[in-house]
Amino acid sequence: MAVNEKETKLELEKFHDTKVWIEKEIIRIEKKCEEYEAKVSSLKKASGGTYSTELLLAQNVKAFAEKDLHKYSEGRTNPYFARIDFKEKLRDSESFYIGKFGLIDEVENEEVVIDWRAPLANLYYSGTFGPASYRAPIGEISGELLLKRKFQVKDGEIVNIFDEGVNELIVPASEDGEELVDEFLKLNLEENMSKKLKDVVTTIQQEQNDIIRAFKNKPIIIQGSAGSGKTTVALHRLAYLVYTYGDEMNNRNILVVAPNELFLDYISDILPNLGVSNVKQVTFENLCQEITKGKMKIITKDKKLSEIIESDDVERIKYITTSSKIKGTMTYKTILDRLIRILERENIEVEDIKIDGFTLYSARDIRRLYIKDLVKLPINKRKDEIQKYFKGKLKNRLEKFKEEIEHEYFFKIKDIKSKTELSEEQQRKEIIKTYDERDELINQLKPKAVKALNTFFKDWKTINPLEGYIRLFNDEEVFEKATDNCIPKKLAHYMISEFNDNLKKKVLDADDLAAVTYLDIVLNGLSTEEYIHTVIDEAQDYSFLQMVILKEISKNNSMTIVGDIGQGIYSYKGINTWESLISKVFEEEATYITLTQSYRSTVEIIEFANIVLEKQQLNVKPAMPILRHGMMPKVIEVEEASEIESIDSLVEEIHRLNKKTIAVVCKDFDKCRKLHKVLNKKSAFKWDLVGEEQDNMDVSNLIIPSYMTKGLEFDAVIVYDCDSLNYRDNDLDKKLLYVALTRALHIEYVLYKGELSPLLK
């Protein structure tokens, strides 16, 4: 133990007593859950499906009890991880224990454990000794911070206790001379990698905490170097917002957009472990498919990148990347906006709605409503609103027509009565006939009007987003007007040809899917309410148009956007500077923050990877590692005949060092597939091939393409075939290699045949 014996004994007793109390609470809450389960069942039978206030109340109590049960069950082995002592002004000093969840003793009306997201807990993450304050709902609370204590817990027992300021060492830093190193943090970072990303509530650092607790209704863009914990921070921020804003965010649309299904599986445990449920976690492509209700197969960005990497056709690659780049620009958004105006103008060519010679609604009135009065509504929804408006006004319109008919027939009957040549009987019959004719006209007004309206709005078809987009590539005049001839002819011909070839195969490129989704949102609006908060990971790989779409579906621009320009492997279409995103998409209304401290890898691994990062010549700071040392990355030349034996030998070495998760990273999927085939025959170990459709990685030995490792981490990484032909001196290869080199926590090997890649020289 790192604190004195007396303090240690008291803390161990406190920890034990808290766990005993939690066990009693769990028994109490389980009993409550059982009681209300029975009560809900009974009330459901009694209500017979009708509304029941008592049933609703019982269901709510049961839901709260189940939520409490989850919290207390989570805390039974590790109820808290920290303690702070705080002396509020004019009050005695108090000790507060901080855990993943707040735990309350309802009998004593006392908060036994403070939730890490509570305002008071901010003192643990960002407070400094001496005068300190935190912002509570009632206002600023000032006082003095006396102690910050951390507990390392394993298997339900405290194994180490650290006091901040005491258990920190002053050691040489790489840039600024000397720095403090948190031994508690180092111990946590040295643990082996698990197969799912873990929460880090015990080790959140001040720079991360500031982001987590930042204001909700403004986009936050975080440039985080590899291993800086940007994904973890974004998800913890989401958990903090749900806790802080309570009813405003509970059971509302919350969105997490991730690069692929594999990554979604990797992060899937974090939010439930933090007590956050009902969060939509999805890839951008799947989100667009849901919005557009599309059913075509999608050519994903990963498939396209794989083709770019594997192809030797330089000219075709140039067309693929240039086309993709254009389709993601704000210029392409302008092209789509022009297309919408063209379709809108064509769609307004309407005629008067008439019945029996009466103009029910004039074309002029329809156009005024469509292009002026309701212009703020999505285009197709305007028609629904116009139809509702017309139906609402129909009664008054028909009354006016009725009056006109009655006026007309008053004079007709008067004329009949003035005809002296008719006998009285003839006049009577003629008048009755005229009255019947008048009444028939009046009686038919409503059904004819309803039919005329229904026919008009049925014929006045809504604009289909996909059909409109198909029109762009198949109507020469529309293409010329929409693009304003800003696309070179050869490239335009390629784009048209590529789109129509895909259409014949019933597939849609992800770039075209984004365009159709934008059209759908403008034409139809959103089918559900906006997302109350959106988290976007690996944001550097999104185009400007894709970011516009995500902005459109996020309420009040409440977004957490994280990425790393240094890992922008889709740079041909993605974001190369955050400044351009802030100006073009968010019109300067965004907060930009950088995270440069790396918590993932050892000093040796980070410094090795930074060799490649520096060659990218980007305007970003290189990753600064937490001072945790390990093995130097080994660069090993291998012969083709013995490379499998070399890989097996490295795996054995990794196992001797007690590390478990191993990834062999190849540049592309084709190389992965070939290596997997050979390893399956010759390796002493079992290997799993990670494909582009993979949605989990529940194995220890993986073979994975470089571009699919984004956001993932492993105990050990073997970078395969890192030779001068495979990783060349170009922008894409620099980024792919940097991504591959920054996945390892503890151990890294680089294998090559022939000549080593110039990127590592």
Side-chain angles (χ1 to χ4, degrees):
M1 296 295 172
V3 298
N4 67 55
E5 191 175 335
K6 182 181 177 183
E7 284 285 307
T8 297
K9 185 179 178 183
L10 290 172
E11 292 294 7
L12 293 176
E13 288 174 358
K14 168 72 177 175
F15 193 77
H16 175 265
D17 291 345
T18 303
K19 289 202 299 177
V20 170
W21 170 76
I22 287 174
E23 290 298 335
K24 290 178 181 176
E25 286 296 294
I26 288 173
I27 293 169
R28 179 183 66 81
I29 298 168
E30 283 177 339
K31 186 178 178 183
K32 187 175 182 179
C33 287
E34 289 171 6
E35 287 174 359
Y36 274 88
E37 178 74 38
K39 188 170 184 178
V40 166
S41 179
S42 174
L43 289 170
K44 276 184 178 178
K45 289 178 183 177
S47 67
T50 60
Y51 178 79
S52 167
T53 305
E54 191 179 1
L55 173 59
L56 184 62
L57 180 63
Q59 287 172 326
N60 287 337
V61 172
K62 176 175 170 284
F64 279 119
E66 288 172 343
K67 194 172 181 180
D68 280 345
L69 184 60
H70 170 75
K71 290 196 301 183
Y72 284 83
S73 298
E74 282 282 313
R76 72 198 314 167
T77 57
N78 189 0
Y80 51 79
F81 53 82
R83 166 187 160 185
I84 58 171
D85 288 0
F86 182 66
K87 185 182 182 304
E88 194 177 328
K89 281 185 178 179
L90 306 177
R91 299 182 68 172
D92 293 335
S93 171
E94 289 185 78
S95 296
F96 301 95
Y97 288 83
I98 299 167
K100 192 186 291 188
F101 298 106
L103 305 178
I104 298 172
D105 187 335
E106 293 183 2
V107 176
E108 299 293 331
N109 194 26
E110 175 189 358
E111 200 162 10
V112 177
V113 179
I114 305 292
D115 193 295
W116 70 274
R117 297 165 289 186
L120 177 60
N122 195 32
L123 291 173
Y124 168 69
Y125 294 112
S126 297
T128 55
F129 292 114
S133 64
Y134 64 94
R135 187 174 296 279
I138 60 172
E140 196 77 14
I141 307 296
S142 299
E144 186 178 3
L145 183 60
L146 305 172
L147 176 73
K148 288 170 74 171
R149 180 167 287 171
K150 306 167 186 180
F151 304 100
Q152 186 185 17
V153 179
K154 283 189 177 179
D155 301 322
E157 298 296 336
I158 292 176
V159 294
N160 268 309
I161 304 175
F162 301 93
D163 282 355
E164 189 168 301
V166 176
N167 307 112
E168 293 175 331
L169 306 176
I170 296 179
V171 293
S174 52
E175 278 191 1
D176 302 320
E178 293 184 334
E179 66 177 18
L180 285 176
V181 176
D182 186 337
E183 284 296 299
F184 178 72
L185 175 61
K186 281 184 68 180
L187 282 170
N188 278 276
L189 294 177
E190 284 166 358
E191 291 181 358
N192 285 350
M193 160 65 192
S194 67
K195 291 171 185 176
K196 296 284 181 76
L197 191 62
K198 299 179 290 187
D199 69 77
V200 295
V201 293
T202 60
T203 57
I204 292 169
Q205 301 299 291
Q206 183 171 344
E207 63 173 357
Q208 298 173 325
N209 183 56
D210 292 342
I211 296 168
I212 288 168
R213 296 173 187 261
F215 180 62
K216 177 170 71 77
N217 290 336
K218 191 176 183 180
I220 291 182
I221 298 173
I222 303 160
Q223 161 59 36
S225 56
S228 60
K230 52 189 177 291
T231 299
T232 308
V233 168
L235 296 175
H236 282 66
R237 171 166 164 71
L238 190 52
Y240 168 78
L241 293 175
V242 169
Y243 174 89
T244 303
Y245 291 93
D247 292 340
E248 185 183 340
M249 292 193 71
N250 283 333
N251 300 316
R252 299 291 295 277
N253 287 346
I254 300 173
L255 180 66
V256 174
V257 186
N260 52 52
E261 296 289 345
L262 184 64
F263 188 81
L264 282 172
D265 176 70
Y266 179 57
I267 67 172
S268 61
D269 283 354
I270 279 198
L271 290 175
N273 285 344
L274 294 172
V276 179
S277 55
N278 301 322
V279 173
K280 186 181 190 69
Q281 300 184 58
V282 68
T283 64
F284 182 79
E285 287 88 353
N286 287 343
L287 177 68
C288 289
Q289 287 281 67
E290 289 179 23
I291 291 172
T292 61
K293 299 177 178 62
K295 294 181 180 177
M296 285 200 288
K297 191 174 178 61
I298 303 301
I299 302 170
T300 67
K301 65 182 188 302
D302 287 339
K303 285 181 182 176
K304 185 180 282 190
L305 181 64
S306 183
E307 182 181 355
I308 291 167
I309 294 170
E310 293 168 16
S311 176
D312 293 323
D313 189 336
V314 177
E315 188 172 359
R316 175 165 169 75
I317 290 172
K318 184 180 177 182
Y319 276 122
I320 291 173
T321 54
T322 308
S323 169
S324 186
K325 182 176 182 178
I326 285 176
K327 287 178 179 178
T329 61
M330 297 302 281
T331 299
Y332 203 65
K333 176 183 175 296
T334 301
I335 290 170
L336 295 175
D337 289 335
R338 287 196 197 115
L339 172 64
I340 289 165
R341 286 197 293 274
I342 292 167
L343 298 173
E344 184 182 32
R345 282 196 296 270
E346 290 177 351
N347 207 234
I348 200 57
E349 296 302 318
V350 294
E351 296 180 353
D352 296 345
I353 305 174
K354 292 185 175 183
I355 54 166
D356 294 338
F358 294 109
T359 300
L360 197 58
Y361 296 103
S362 70
R364 182 180 176 183
D365 286 339
I366 297 167
R367 281 194 288 269
R368 176 180 54 78
L369 288 166
Y370 188 70
I371 62 177
K372 186 178 178 183
D373 294 0
L374 298 174
V375 73
K376 290 186 178 179
L377 289 177
I379 289 173
N380 287 335
K381 284 195 174 180
R382 293 179 208 169
K383 299 176 182 181
D384 295 334
E385 290 303 312
I386 293 170
Q387 188 171 17
K388 288 178 189 174
Y389 175 75
F390 283 175
K391 284 183 177 179
K393 293 286 184 182
L394 191 59
K395 186 177 180 181
N396 290 338
R397 287 288 173 111
L398 296 181
E399 282 296 326
K400 183 182 175 184
F401 296 161
K402 179 184 174 184
E403 287 174 7
E404 290 183 26
I405 291 170
E406 287 176 339
H407 183 73
E408 179 187 349
Y409 275 82
F410 170 81
F411 287 104
K412 281 188 178 183
I413 290 167
K414 190 175 180 181
D415 286 345
I416 294 169
K417 288 180 179 178
S418 65
K419 289 180 180 178
T420 55
E421 69 274 16
L422 297 176
S423 66
E424 188 177 325
E425 180 62 21
Q426 286 175 323
Q427 275 188 343
R428 188 178 68 80
K429 286 181 178 180
E430 193 71 25
I431 288 169
I432 290 171
K433 181 183 176 184
T434 305
Y435 272 130
D436 287 344
E437 188 180 292
R438 179 202 67 182
D439 292 344
E440 178 65 17
L441 281 174
I442 291 171
N443 289 336
Q444 286 298 311
L445 280 176
K446 186 174 181 180
K448 284 184 178 180
V450 170
K451 184 179 179 181
L453 282 178
N454 289 340
T455 300
F456 174 83
F457 284 102
K458 184 180 178 182
D459 293 342
W460 196 23
K461 292 178 181 177
T462 57
I463 304 170
N464 181 283
L466 179 57
E467 289 175 5
Y469 192 63
I470 291 171
R471 177 96 178 275
L472 175 67
F473 291 98
N474 288 278
D475 186 319
E476 190 175 335
E477 185 180 353
V478 169
F479 188 85
E480 285 182 5
K481 284 182 180 178
T483 61
D484 196 25
N485 293 315
C486 70
I487 302 175
K489 285 189 177 179
K490 283 187 178 180
L491 179 59
H493 176 74
Y494 169 81
M495 291 169 69
I496 292 167
S497 175
E498 178 200 38
F499 177 80
N500 284 309
D501 285 348
N502 286 339
L503 204 61
K504 287 174 187 174
K505 300 171 191 171
K506 295 184 178 179
V507 296
L508 194 64
D509 190 285
D511 296 322
D512 294 313
L513 176 63
V516 174
T517 303
Y518 176 74
L519 292 176
D520 199 296
I521 290 170
V522 175
L523 293 171
N524 297 321
L526 295 174
S527 57
T528 60
E529 65 177 324
E530 297 165 297
Y531 290 95
I532 198 79
H533 190 77
T534 302
V535 171
I536 305 164
D537 206 344
E538 301 294 348
Q540 76 281 348
D541 295 334
Y542 292 77
S543 69
F544 289 109
L545 180 61
Q546 290 173 327
M547 293 302 295
V548 166
I549 291 167
L550 292 169
K551 177 174 176 275
E552 286 293 319
I553 65 176
S554 303
K555 188 174 183 180
N556 297 325
N557 289 347
S558 183
M559 306 169 78
T560 303
I561 301 165
V562 298
D564 179 12
I565 298 297
Q567 298 181 61
I569 58 177
Y570 307 91
S571 58
Y572 58 87
K573 69 147 194 175
I575 295 162
N576 291 308
T577 70
W578 298 117
E579 290 78 10
S580 59
L581 174 67
I582 292 169
S583 64
K584 291 178 181 179
V585 175
F586 295 108
E587 299 173 345
E588 307 298 340
E589 286 295 317
T591 300
Y592 175 67
I593 301 170
T594 59
L595 291 173
T596 56
Q597 193 75 63
S598 176
Y599 302 96
R600 176 185 295 146
S601 308
T602 61
V603 171
E604 290 76 13
I605 291 171
I606 290 296
E607 289 180 349
F608 186 67
N610 281 346
I611 294 170
V612 179
L613 180 64
E614 286 165 9
K615 290 184 178 178
Q616 292 189 37
Q617 296 183 323
L618 299 169
N619 188 27
V620 295
K621 289 184 180 180
M624 295 290 294
I626 285 287
L627 216 124
R628 182 173 69 84
H629 285 284
M631 290 172 50
M632 281 292 297
K634 293 182 181 178
V635 179
I636 304 168
E637 183 178 6
V638 296
E639 299 294 330
E640 186 147 359
S642 61
E643 67 178 350
I644 303 306
E645 289 87 343
S646 298
I647 290 173
D648 277 6
S649 175
L650 295 178
V651 173
E652 288 168 1
E653 183 176 351
I654 292 165
H655 287 167
R656 282 196 300 272
L657 293 167
N658 198 31
K659 303 305 176 188
K660 296 177 181 176
T661 58
I662 303 169
V664 175
V665 180
C666 302
K667 184 179 178 183
D668 56 58
F669 185 68
D670 185 54
K671 289 181 175 59
C672 286
R673 189 169 46 235
K674 289 174 181 174
L675 178 61
H676 182 248
K677 189 175 180 180
V678 177
L679 282 171
N680 259 356
K681 290 180 180 177
K682 298 182 178 180
S683 175
F685 301 94
K686 185 179 182 303
W687 294 89
D688 194 65
L689 175 64
V690 175
E692 289 159 2
E693 306 293 328
Q694 189 107 0
D695 60 2
N696 70 77
M697 54 173 201
D698 192 24
V699 290
S700 296
N701 298 335
L702 295 175
I703 303 169
I704 185 169
S706 56
Y707 49 85
M708 287 200 69
T709 65
K710 297 279 285 292
L712 306 179
E713 54 189 36
F714 309 91
D715 287 334
V717 167
I718 300 170
V719 180
Y720 179 73
D721 256 3
C722 191
D723 57 57
S724 57
L725 294 175
N726 209 25
Y727 288 100
R728 306 180 187 189
D729 191 1
N730 61 55
D731 288 344
L732 179 56
D733 285 0
K734 287 173 187 175
K735 292 179 189 294
L736 289 170
L737 184 54
Y738 178 67
V739 169
L741 292 174
T742 53
R743 300 304 101 198
L745 276 76
H746 310 291
I747 304 168
E748 186 159 81
Y749 305 99
V750 174
L751 306 186
Y752 74 98
K753 296 188 284 286
E755 185 181 352
L756 180 65
S757 166
L759 302 179
L760 287 174
K761 292 181 179 178

